[in-house]
Amino acid sequence: MATLRLEIVTPEARVFSADVENVTLPGVDGQLGIYPMHVPLMTQISCGELVIRQNGATRHLAVGDGFVEITGERVAVLTEMAIDTDHINEAEVEKARKEAEERLKKQLNDEEIAVTEAALAHAITQLEVKRRRSEGV
Amino acid sequence: MPSTRDIRRRIKSVKNTAQITKAMEKVASAKMRKAQQAALAGRPYVDLMNGMLAAATASAGEFTHPLMEQRPVKKRAVIVVSTDKGLCGSLNTNLLREAGRFDAESSLFLTAGRKSEQWTARAKRTVAERFTYRDNPKFSEAMAICRKACELFTSGEVDQVDIVFTNFISTLNQKPLVRQLLPIIELKPLSASVKDEESTASVPESKVSEFQFEPTATDVLGSLLPKYVNYQIYQVLLEAKASEHSSRMVAMKNATDNAKQLVKDLTLEYNKIRQANITKELLEITSAAMAMGN
């Protein structure tokens, strides 16, 4: 069976790099399911859940805003955050979310606001994805 | 001839200096490891973004963006990314030599780091704005620089923005580099000189010439381009920090080695003088004894 080469890269590290059967992305206009031989496509993704199917097993990742380059045999995901749901520590993320909310109330300059808002969005996404997983939906 | 006491004093002071430089070496090497890791970890992201942008612009057709607009260069802005502190060998000297090549009349300088700030004052260059960045560069710090650079460019105040920084190649090798930041025309990877095998192997060049865009090319490229500039600057800050700490560690190591050599030489001399003194005293005693005996 044909496979896709999936690359997920964040500013911190190359998170994922392997052959997969298909991948579902949180596109800006809704979910995108990508199978091998997809038409070359350049698109954006927003905060949400990325689902990888590899050797029959599924993996779920919480991802942030980013860009995706799709060719017939390769999917390159460029995002600010990518965390496996299994590695999300709900208590810690909840704490990060509270901290970000607190910070937004203070006087900040534009750059700090942008960074904090991004952190908040990431925390919220992680929580959402994690909860959806643990509910088994 | 210096007395034994003078030499002893010097040995002590040189030993103290060696202790300090040794401590600084230790600190720098700890920071270096972190900074190098950060710089290396950031590279795949920037490289991939580069590749994507190159592929995207190639198939976007008649797409133009304010950040890609090419004008005859009448005035340019130069971002100089230096260190805050000295004691890091020839790093800043080499960097600022590159920065000094830009025409003083038609260039506007944006500085990051205290050393470049001092240089602009000394060399009498026009400064648009001063920035600082911390030991572990924050993304917001890169954003601030990026915003100012884009502002200058899109308002037409400058027609080109260049960035001067020290590229990290290895612990022993850092190179000052000048890169054109705006307008975005050539999409060369930032770390072209250091291609690590892994990244080239696992990210094959996409050979597809025609990409579709979703929602539209304008949307995708419109948000990709500013991000690209931003991350480029962020990566530059990381590279500069990695270079700084590497260079400082090497400089401090050399200083410690030199101090140790100096202590060795001084000890030798000290012993020689001590020996000479003893011989002299013995000579005096024996000659006195001989005189008494007669």
Side-chain angles (χ1 to χ4, degrees):
Chain A
M1 191 181 147
T3 52
L4 272 171
R5 179 88 184 163
L6 176 66
E7 302 264 355
I8 302 176
V9 183
T10 68
E12 284 89 38
R14 187 187 299 275
V15 178
F16 189 93
S17 174
D19 290 323
V20 301
E21 276 121 44
N22 73 62
V23 53
T24 308
L25 307 164
V28 275
D29 296 334
Q31 288 217 322
L32 278 170
I34 310 295
Y35 285 81
M37 311 294 287
H38 196 282
V39 71
L41 180 73
M42 193 72 77
T43 186
Q44 279 174 276
I45 56 168
S46 51
C47 288
E49 187 180 21
L50 187 146
V51 186
I52 303 166
R53 261 169 293 275
Q54 184 184 17
N55 304 326
T58 3
R59 277 180 72 182
H60 301 263
L61 271 73
V63 293
D65 288 335
F67 302 91
V68 188
E69 182 193 277
I70 300 159
T71 64
E73 64 275 0
R74 170 168 171 262
V75 177
V77 180
L78 201 65
T79 174
E80 274 151 37
M81 169 190 81
I83 301 171
D84 200 308
T85 39
D86 298 337
H87 299 156
I88 297 175
N89 181 339
E90 231 175 298
E92 247 169 56
V93 179
E94 185 71 42
K95 211 175 104 203
R97 186 178 70 101
K98 290 234 171 70
E99 263 167 30
E101 276 171 354
E102 281 301 311
R103 286 197 53 188
L104 277 182
K105 284 179 197 144
K106 287 187 208 141
Q107 287 280 319
L108 296 169
N109 61 31
D110 291 353
E111 281 82 31
E112 280 168 337
I113 289 178
V115 169
T116 318
E117 269 173 356
L120 183 61
H122 288 172
I124 291 173
T125 314
Q126 284 187 41
L127 286 175
E128 273 177 4
V129 174
K130 177 81 182 175
R131 283 182 187 146
R132 207 180 310 152
R133 269 313 107 217
S134 45
E135 280 161 18
V137 184
Chain B
M1 202 169 185
S3 74
T4 49
R5 188 146 45 112
D6 287 342
I7 292 187
R8 243 191 346 241
R9 215 179 269 154
R10 263 207 77 198
I11 290 177
K12 218 168 127 191
S13 91
V14 172
K15 265 187 184 157
N16 277 339
T17 312
Q19 220 163 38
I20 293 169
T21 53
K22 181 92 194 164
M24 286 171 86
E25 182 196 328
K26 287 269 154 62
V27 172
S29 81
K31 282 186 180 166
M32 175 189 84
R33 223 165 299 133
K34 243 192 260 166
Q36 282 186 2
Q37 245 165 27
L40 293 178
R43 275 180 190 168
Y45 191 81
V46 173
D47 286 350
L48 185 58
M49 207 175 217
N50 235 312
M52 262 172 143
L53 201 58
T57 43
S59 58
E62 287 294 300
F63 173 80
T64 49
H65 188 276
L67 294 180
M68 293 174 86
E69 191 187 332
Q70 286 184 57
R71 299 184 287 251
V73 182
K74 280 192 241 71
K75 207 154 167 63
R76 65 171 79 216
V78 183
I79 308 173
V80 187
V81 185
S82 75
T83 65
D84 275 341
K85 296 185 193 110
L87 292 179
C88 45
S90 56
L91 193 80
N92 284 320
T93 322
N94 291 339
L95 181 84
L96 296 174
R97 194 184 306 127
E98 289 294 325
R101 292 220 178 107
F102 289 97
D103 183 35
E105 291 290 303
S106 63
S107 314
L108 214 57
F109 285 84
L110 286 85
T111 64
R114 213 170 304 142
K115 284 282 160 188
S116 58
E117 219 174 287
Q118 289 161 357
W119 173 77
T120 50
R122 209 167 47 233
K124 302 206 169 40
R125 306 288 158 128
T126 344
V127 179
E129 200 164 330
R130 298 182 175 84
F131 297 96
T132 53
Y133 64 110
R134 260 172 289 177
D135 237 5
N136 45 344
K138 283 265 160 53
F139 195 63
S140 53
E141 286 153 349
M143 269 164 84
I145 301 174
C146 174
R147 203 179 48 170
K148 181 71 187 173
C150 291
E151 213 177 274
L152 282 173
F153 182 75
T154 46
S155 68
E157 205 172 315
V158 299
D159 309 299
Q160 187 177 334
V161 180
D162 291 297
I163 190 159
V164 187
F165 67 105
T166 321
N167 194 21
F168 172 76
I169 298 166
S170 72
T171 308
L172 294 171
N173 196 357
Q174 301 93 29
K175 223 174 143 196
L177 218 59
V178 182
R179 267 290 147 81
Q180 178 178 337
L181 201 65
L182 293 170
I184 303 168
I185 41 160
E186 44 167 356
L187 296 157
K188 266 196 290 181
L190 194 66
S191 41
S193 43
V194 262
K195 268 268 167 264
D196 56 321
E197 291 303 311
E198 195 223 355
S199 82
T200 42
S202 59
V203 186
E205 285 296 308
S206 44
K207 289 169 197 75
V208 187
S209 53
E210 278 304 311
F211 276 98
Q212 288 184 7
F213 291 92
E214 199 177 304
T216 63
T218 331
D219 283 331
V220 176
L221 279 172
S223 47
L224 186 56
L225 285 172
K227 267 234 166 79
Y228 172 75
V229 180
N230 219 323
Y231 269 103
Q232 200 101 72
I233 293 179
Y234 183 56
Q235 185 65 25
V236 163
L237 293 186
L238 292 179
E239 299 276 341
K241 268 296 164 203
S243 306
E244 178 191 342
H245 289 308
S246 310
S247 175
R248 178 164 300 134
M249 196 207 69
V250 173
M252 287 302 116
K253 187 166 167 35
N254 287 339
T256 315
D257 291 348
N258 286 344
K260 281 200 180 129
Q261 186 59 46
L262 197 57
V263 168
K264 222 167 149 188
D265 292 349
L266 283 172
T267 315
L268 189 68
E269 199 177 331
Y270 169 73
N271 283 337
K272 265 189 201 159
I273 292 172
R274 195 174 53 98
Q275 202 70 60
N277 277 345
I278 293 169
T279 318
K280 208 170 78 194
E281 269 170 40
L282 275 177
L283 217 69
E284 275 164 12
I285 292 168
T286 41
S287 57
M290 272 161 81
M292 299 278 273
N294 285 343

